[in-house]
Amino acid sequence: MKNALLMVSLAAAVSFAACSKKEETTTTTTTPAAPTAVVVTPPPMADAASASMAASDAATSAMDAASSAATSAMSAASSAMESASMAASGAMK
């Protein structure tokens, strides 16, 4: 009788285990998004001729600025000489 009770309880346990509703577990893993890198590149020069033209324009502008500064300096020196000359001639009288 003990064997029969053991067999019946074992059969019941197996049948309950086979018929039971199994819950599906899903795991969702999220990976953080990588930061987006921003790369700024200057536009390429069209060709060597345009680079040469840009350099020539820059040199011309620099020469014009130097010429203007020299003209202003010469004018200021000339004015200073005239003022000194007038002061000296006024002191002599």
Side-chain angles (χ1 to χ4, degrees), residues 9-31:
S9 62
L10 185 60
V14 170
S15 65
F16 282 133
C19 295
S20 68
K21 181 179 178 185
K22 294 184 180 179
E23 292 186 26
E24 293 182 22
T25 57
T26 56
T27 57
T28 305
T29 58
T30 58
T31 57

Side-chain angles (χ1 to χ4, degrees), residues 27-85:
T27 57
T28 305
T29 58
T30 58
T31 57
T36 304
V38 177
V39 178
V40 178
T41 56
M45 293 295 268
D47 55 7
S50 63
S52 175
M53 184 62 88
S56 176
D57 290 344
T60 301
S61 295
M63 285 185 358
D64 289 344
S67 175
S68 176
T71 301
S72 296
M74 286 176 27
S75 177
S78 179
S79 294
M81 291 291 286
E82 285 179 18
S83 295
S85 176

